[in-house]
Amino acid sequence: ADVFQSREEDDRKVRRREKNRVAAQRSRKKQTQKADKLHEEYESLEQENTSLKREIGKLTDEMKHLSEVLKDHEKICPLLHCTMNFVTIPRPDALASCLPR
């Protein structure tokens, strides 16, 4: 009876060890998948960040250009030189001379 009981315990240990090995394998696989997913997400965010920085650069350049254009226009704009502009309605001919043709 003693031999039978020890064999049964051995079988249980082997089964437990196997179950534990499979669980550890599954856990490692899950961790690897999680790390892979995080890496992909990181790469994607890096690309988006680069793209947004590029867009900021373009928009900053455009803003500088438009500020220069506005500054140049202000020098010659009859509407901006008239002190009465805030009180009276600007004349259509003065407005037409400011608009691009």
Side-chain angles (χ1 to χ4, degrees), residues 55-69:
E55 190 177 348
I56 287 170
K58 284 180 188 172
L59 291 171
T60 302
D61 289 345
E62 186 180 356
M63 186 179 72
K64 285 177 188 169
H65 170 70
L66 291 173
S67 293
E68 287 299 312
V69 169

Side-chain angles (χ1 to χ4, degrees), residues 1 6 10-12 15 23-24 33 44 49 54-55 57 61-62 66 68 73-74 76 81 83 85-86 89 91-92 100:
S6 74
D10 286 347
D11 285 352
R12 242 183 282 146
R15 278 197 304 270
Q33 286 173 339
S44 173
N49 194 22
R54 210 175 293 130
E55 190 177 348
D61 289 345
E62 186 180 356
L66 291 173
E68 287 299 312
H73 179 75
E74 283 172 347
I76 60 160
H81 291 301
T83 55
N85 272 341
F86 301 106
I89 298 166
R91 296 186 329 275

Side-chain angles (χ1 to χ4, degrees), residues 1-94:
D2 226 11
V3 174
F4 179 74
Q5 197 174 8
S6 74
R7 190 178 291 149
E8 206 172 276
E9 282 176 22
D10 286 347
D11 285 352
R12 242 183 282 146
K13 280 180 188 174
V14 168
R15 278 197 304 270
R16 198 178 320 123
R17 223 175 289 138
E18 177 63 17
K19 204 173 172 183
N20 192 35
R21 188 184 67 76
V22 170
Q25 216 172 18
R26 208 173 21 241
S27 176
R28 282 192 295 273
K29 188 178 178 184
K30 208 171 169 181
Q31 278 183 319
T32 304
Q33 286 173 339
K34 193 176 178 182
D36 288 347
K37 192 178 175 190
L38 280 172
H39 186 69
E40 280 176 34
E41 200 176 326
Y42 169 81
E43 291 290 329
S44 173
L45 288 170
E46 278 293 316
Q47 284 180 347
E48 189 181 354
N49 194 22
T50 301
S51 172
L52 288 170
K53 282 179 179 175
R54 210 175 293 130
E55 190 177 348
I56 287 170
K58 284 180 188 172
L59 291 171
T60 302
D61 289 345
E62 186 180 356
M63 186 179 72
K64 285 177 188 169
H65 170 70
L66 291 173
S67 293
E68 287 299 312
V69 169
L70 179 62
K71 217 187 307 175
D72 290 344
H73 179 75
E74 283 172 347
K75 294 172 191 169
I76 60 160
C77 182
L79 294 177
L80 294 171
H81 291 301
C82 178
T83 55
M84 299 301 286
N85 272 341
F86 301 106
V87 182
T88 61
I89 298 166
R91 296 186 329 275
D93 57 322

